[in-house]
Amino acid sequence: MTAAAPGRYDPWADALRAAALLAIDPDGLKGAIVRSLPGPARDAWLAALRAILRADAPMRRAPAHIDDERLLGGLDLAATLAAGRPVASRGLLRESDGGVVVLAMAERCTSATGARIAMALDAGEVSGRDDRHAACFMLIALEEGVEPDERAPDVLAERMAFALDLDGGRVSSTAMPTAAEIAAARVDLSRMKAADDRIIESICTAAGAFGVGSARAAMFTLRAARAAAALAGRGVVEDEDLALAARLVLAPRARFAPPDQAPESAPPPEESADDSTPADRAEATAAADRVVDAVQSALPAEFLAQFLEARSERRVEARSRGAGAAAKSARRGRPLGARPGTLRTGERLDLVATLRAAAPWQPLRRREVATSSAALVLVRRGDFRIRRFVQRLESTIIVVVDASGSAALQRLAEAKGAVETLLADAYVTRARVALIAFRDAGAEMLLPPTRSLSRAKRALAELPGGGTTPLATAIDTASLLAQSERAKGRTPLIVFLTDGRGNVGRDGVTGRAQAEADALVSARAVRAANLAAVFIDTSPRMRPGADALAAEMGAAYAPLPFVEAGAVASVVRAHAPARR
């Protein structure tokens, strides 16, 4: 393979190097996440990998919605009915033993399916109906998501050595090793002696410098370095091999960039049992610095800013940014598997699952009815399996803006800018947006739930300011709208932008004591209705009353004395309804 030009990072060349290392040590490196939309780059990379694998190595493609029967194996319905006894199917993972599983659209893979694949990766086997079967395979997870948070499940990402981004990359004429060279490297790898302490120390130092705390990442780096040395025909790992491995394994996992310079003076090291000489320690430090430089060269520009932005948008579980909560459905959505049950109005029978449930009992049932016809399948009520689906509910963001005099006109202008950013973000994620403003004696819905960004902007531009603060009325109005949206099958989120200082009660009478008491009652009603809410405190100085009101409401509390648009949007994204 040709090397990249000195001082210039070549993502495509490194992607091909990763493919070669996977072919040399598939059991140790496990696989790779390949982030790319369908196109020439992804096809070329998969073809290059296929060309250097063993000729008899299977390559199976798994859809993201694959069910457990097809993934792990189950009952072979046709064979069972023909034989009159249970016959097990092999399952895709077992069929892929010694080869590759290509997981399509991995960002849509559920956590449960990801966990089952991860268990097979770890154990190298899957459980059958009565025993266990070998399933040693390499996993290639294809990510096609557009948004930063559309990722493969973390349980899979943690177990694969490489994460390659081919989007926007240029396919160059970088040479690949031949299948014979890969086979020879496998033999050399099996004969290679263990890495010395200097190599291991360099890996751990570099991992710590970039905030990579995973022990698997350090082990993957070591195994990738050994595979790179074997490919180059070396019997030991050299700095060049270590730099390549760190660039491929550690750079995609980096959580922050290391400081540009080390402190000018450091305290003397404590006495230890280490018998290494100062020269040895200096060499180890220099080696670690070279590894850090190699990882740094692979990091994109503005790395820290990109990481912080992606982290603020990421969820505990992979999800679509504007989508509402998941809801089970009997008619449509993503298949969720079948369950035992009886047919009711609106439900659908899963015929194949029903026949699978009935198949093992056919010999006994045929004896009971005195028939030996293999063409007759006897189905009982207990065999019925009902199809289940899960569909994404739409979400509605209800923005409640304090337009009273307590917010002050200049602060209202800041709030308008923040709300406009929030509306644009909701438009991109296909969420509905409603806008409620409160001032003087009441709360007014300036904008009913809509996806029209232009309407939202016009309503926001016409938002007046000044007057008293009917906070309780605003909470009641938002609560009623949220419950109405939930009744329509949507997932509501209420976002309050206010300083929390109400001075008008529900009856329209001015008076701070009664207004605050009414606001607390309204807040408790929001909590009782189990409505999600975010309370953004726009007061210049934090006061105990605002956070107490948010607590009574069960809302997330965020004090933002300077209502900066990006900060508001980040808070709302962090508490938006998540995919289950």
Side-chain angles (χ1 to χ4, degrees), residues 115-130:
R116 291 177 177 87
I117 297 175
M119 289 176 63
L121 274 174
D122 288 343
E125 60 183 15
V126 294
S127 298
R129 292 178 63 87
D130 301 311

Side-chain angles (χ1 to χ4, degrees), residues 290-305:
R290 287 191 290 271
V291 176
V292 169
D293 291 341
V295 177
Q296 192 94 44
S297 69
L299 295 179
E302 306 297 336
F303 163 73
L304 184 58

Side-chain angles (χ1 to χ4, degrees), residues 174-235:
T174 304
M176 281 288 285
T178 64
E181 291 171 333
I182 294 293
R186 289 195 199 102
V187 175
D188 291 343
L189 179 63
S190 65
R191 298 172 179 170
M192 189 177 298
K193 64 181 181 180
D196 57 33
D197 292 343
R198 179 183 66 87
I199 298 295
I200 297 174
E201 182 179 346
S202 298
I203 293 173
C204 294
T205 300
F210 290 94
V212 181
S214 169
R216 278 195 179 96
M219 184 60 68
F220 283 145
T221 306
L222 177 59
R223 299 202 69 139
R226 288 168 56 83
L231 181 60
R234 289 186 282 268

Side-chain angles (χ1 to χ4, degrees), residues 348-397:
R348 297 165 63 182
L349 180 71
D350 190 325
L351 180 59
V352 174
T354 299
L355 292 176
R356 281 201 180 103
W361 303 98
Q362 294 309 298
L364 178 61
R365 292 175 183 176
R366 287 170 185 158
R367 287 197 296 270
E368 290 177 352
V369 299
T371 180
S372 60
S373 174
L376 181 65
V377 179
L378 302 174
V379 179
R380 305 282 172 82
R381 183 185 295 266
D383 301 327
F384 287 173
R385 296 295 184 268
I386 308 303
R387 300 187 70 179
R388 295 184 303 163
F389 302 89
V390 60
Q391 60 182 137
R392 186 66 44 217
L393 300 180
E394 291 182 333
S395 62
T396 301
I397 299 177

Side-chain angles (χ1 to χ4, degrees), residues 413-439:
E414 296 174 351
K416 285 182 178 181
V419 172
E420 186 167 330
T421 299
L422 191 59
L423 293 171
D425 190 61
Y427 174 79
V428 170
T429 59
R430 309 306 297 162
R432 295 176 184 268
V433 174
L435 183 62
I436 295 173
F438 61 99
R439 59 188 290 268

Side-chain angles (χ1 to χ4, degrees), residues 39-213:
R42 195 176 79 178
D43 292 345
W45 189 88
L46 289 172
L49 176 64
R50 170 75 269 187
I52 57 177
L53 295 175
R54 297 195 317 270
D56 60 344
M59 181 176 279
R60 300 285 188 269
R61 195 175 186 90
H65 60 269
I66 188 170
D67 59 25
D68 290 350
E69 288 274 345
R70 179 67 187 109
L71 183 69
L72 305 175
L75 193 69
D76 188 325
L77 180 59
T80 296
L81 294 176
R85 57 180 176 80
V87 178
S89 61
R90 286 168 55 84
L92 185 140
L93 297 185
R94 187 179 169 191
E95 293 173 357
S96 305
D97 184 37
V100 181
V101 173
V102 179
L103 180 61
M105 301 183 76
E107 72 280 359
R108 299 191 180 184
C109 178
T110 64
S111 298
T113 299
R116 291 177 177 87
I117 297 175
M119 289 176 63
L121 274 174
D122 288 343
E125 60 183 15
V126 294
S127 298
R129 292 178 63 87
D130 301 311
D131 53 3
R132 305 182 75 84
H133 305 280
C136 293
F137 58 90
M138 178 201 308
L139 178 65
I140 303 299
L142 304 179
E143 286 184 346
E144 300 179 10
V146 177
E147 299 296 337
D149 60 331
E150 293 179 323
R151 299 282 181 178
D154 289 342
V155 70
L156 290 180
E158 172 71 10
R159 284 167 169 79
M160 290 181 281
F162 307 128
L164 311 174
D165 192 341
L166 303 183
D167 274 339
R170 183 177 59 87
V171 179
S172 61
S173 58
T174 304
M176 281 288 285
T178 64
E181 291 171 333
I182 294 293
R186 289 195 199 102
V187 175
D188 291 343
L189 179 63
S190 65
R191 298 172 179 170
M192 189 177 298
K193 64 181 181 180
D196 57 33
D197 292 343
R198 179 183 66 87
I199 298 295
I200 297 174
E201 182 179 346
S202 298
I203 293 173
C204 294
T205 300
F210 290 94
V212 181

